Amino acid sequence: MIKIVNPVFMVILLGYLYGRRRKSSIEAEKLINEYVLYIALPALLFLAVARADPADLAQWHFVAATLAGIAAAYLGGALVARSRGTHSPDASIVGMASCYGTTGYMGIPILISAFGPQAAVPAAIATILHNIPAIMVVIITQDIAGRKDVRVLTSAGRALLMTLRNPLTLAVLAGAAFSLTGLSLPAMAVSFSQFLAAAAGPTALFALGLGLARIDVGRAQLSRQMAWVVPVVLIKILVQPALTVAVLLVLVGTRIDVWAATAIVMAAQPVGAGAYVFANKYDYFREEVSISIIVSLLVTVLTLTAILQILGDVLQVRTF
């Protein structure tokens, strides 16, 4: 697993070093991110889900364990915020940072590298499950707090519409439509999607490194924010995967398949850059989130390698 994981982190490091040295324009970085978000990753997710057996999509233990881990981590982060004097709606940003991981940019490439193409479908669905709940809760909380006349259902509808417009969500839904209806993809569509999807992993990881290069963290900032960073990082990379494992043990026992492994690996991802986007949007917790992203990424070099090694040994024995 070290041989598999190391190239992943090396591509992130390459993107980081390139971004620090070349100081490329914001427009250039935005273009790379848009290619990943709007073209490469959607092509990968669409093709994986469209070619899946409909029976394979009904993995309720996977959905329950994933959502339980997300909910527990979010509540843990919100409680940390409340204990430090932060109340709603700003506590929702801390909650999001504690449960929102780099599932698309980093989780998908790692899972496919470690477990092969069979991990693409669970990785696609896990990405959507990790995106929608946290984003919706933050939007609704901020919306209601900022506008006294807004109704909960109206805000929820607006938040759902916004998340459904996410290209990753649209790709999975479009793929599910083909899978559930039994429609076959034209050969040209398959070749085209495969060609675009081949660039998804390396480009996403390089883009993640470029984004990290723009985060400027000094020693003074690091020491000042550790009281926030430590609990957020611990919740994200330890509590969330631990709760996910606990729910899986209750539901399926020790019968670990690629779906269960995906749920665990996605829960163990470092803090995602999406949390920084919302912290910046609502002008709260920006510095703390940026430091948490970097610290959690460094720690997961070890934790993810260990988790993948354990899961790889189990899957080799039981499914291959």
Side-chain angles (χ1 to χ4, degrees):
M1 282 301 168
I2 292 176
K3 293 180 181 179
I4 291 173
V5 173
N6 272 356
V8 170
F9 286 99
M10 288 174 67
V11 175
I12 297 173
L13 178 61
L14 181 64
Y16 175 81
L17 294 175
Y18 184 89
R20 296 292 290 184
R21 183 174 179 81
R22 295 297 297 267
K23 299 292 183 183
S24 56
S25 67
I26 295 176
E27 290 75 16
E29 183 184 332
K30 181 181 179 182
L31 182 61
I32 294 175
N33 276 281
E34 286 186 349
Y35 175 76
V36 172
L37 183 62
Y38 288 93
I39 298 177
L41 279 177
L44 174 65
L45 300 187
F46 167 74
L47 191 60
V49 177
R51 300 167 82 177
D53 186 334
D56 292 338
L57 300 180
Q59 302 287 337
W60 302 115
H61 67 286
F62 165 81
V63 175
T66 298
L67 292 179
I70 293 169
Y74 178 89
L75 291 174
L79 288 174
V80 168
R82 292 295 295 269
S83 70
R84 294 182 58 81
T86 301
H87 298 281
S88 183
D90 290 336
S92 65
I93 304 296
V94 185
M96 181 182 186
S98 302
C99 72
Y100 189 90
T102 56
T103 53
Y105 280 68
M106 184 171 157
I108 292 173
I110 282 180
L111 283 164
I112 294 177
S113 297
F115 304 129
Q118 64 175 339
V121 174
I125 297 175
T127 299
I128 303 308
L129 292 176
H130 278 264
N131 280 336
I132 292 180
I135 292 174
M136 285 192 65
V137 169
V138 171
I139 293 174
I140 293 171
T141 304
Q142 293 284 344
D143 203 8
I144 293 174
R147 297 174 56 187
K148 295 181 180 179
D149 60 333
V150 71
R151 295 183 178 180
V152 175
L153 289 179
T154 302
S155 178
R158 186 159 48 239
L160 180 60
L161 183 61
M162 179 179 176
T163 53
L164 288 177
R165 286 176 178 170
N166 184 298
L168 301 182
T169 305
L170 290 175
V172 171
L173 292 177
F178 274 90
S179 176
L180 295 174
T181 58
L183 294 174
S184 59
L185 290 171
M188 187 177 70
V190 173
S191 298
F192 179 64
S193 298
Q194 287 177 330
F195 191 62
L196 293 174
T203 310
L205 295 168
F206 188 82
L208 177 59
L210 282 179
L212 292 174
R214 290 198 174 275
I215 300 175
D216 191 11
V217 178
R219 291 184 180 180
Q221 290 175 297
L222 187 61
S223 60
R224 185 171 64 248
Q225 302 298 349
M226 286 308 289
W228 277 109
V229 171
V230 170
V232 167
V233 171
L234 288 177
I235 291 171
K236 180 67 199 73
I237 64 177
L238 292 181
V239 175
Q240 186 174 352
L243 261 295
T244 303
V245 170
V247 174
L248 286 171
L249 289 175
V250 170
L251 295 179
V252 297
T254 58
R255 185 173 55 84
I256 301 297
D257 57 11
V258 70
W259 284 84
T262 298
I264 297 167
V265 171
M266 286 301 206
Q269 292 297 306
V271 178
Y276 179 80
V277 172
F278 279 87
N280 191 56
K281 175 181 175 65
Y282 294 112
D283 194 24
Y284 179 76
F285 212 59
R286 285 178 295 184
E287 188 175 281
E288 295 87 347
V289 169
S290 63
I291 298 172
S292 297
I293 291 171
I294 293 175
V295 172
S296 62
L297 181 63
L298 293 174
V299 175
T300 52
V301 174
L302 300 176
T303 57
L304 269 178
T305 303
I307 290 171
L308 286 167
Q309 184 63 56
I310 295 170
L311 292 173
D313 292 342
V314 172
L315 288 173
Q316 275 188 342
V317 171
R318 301 191 180 183
T319 64
F320 296 137

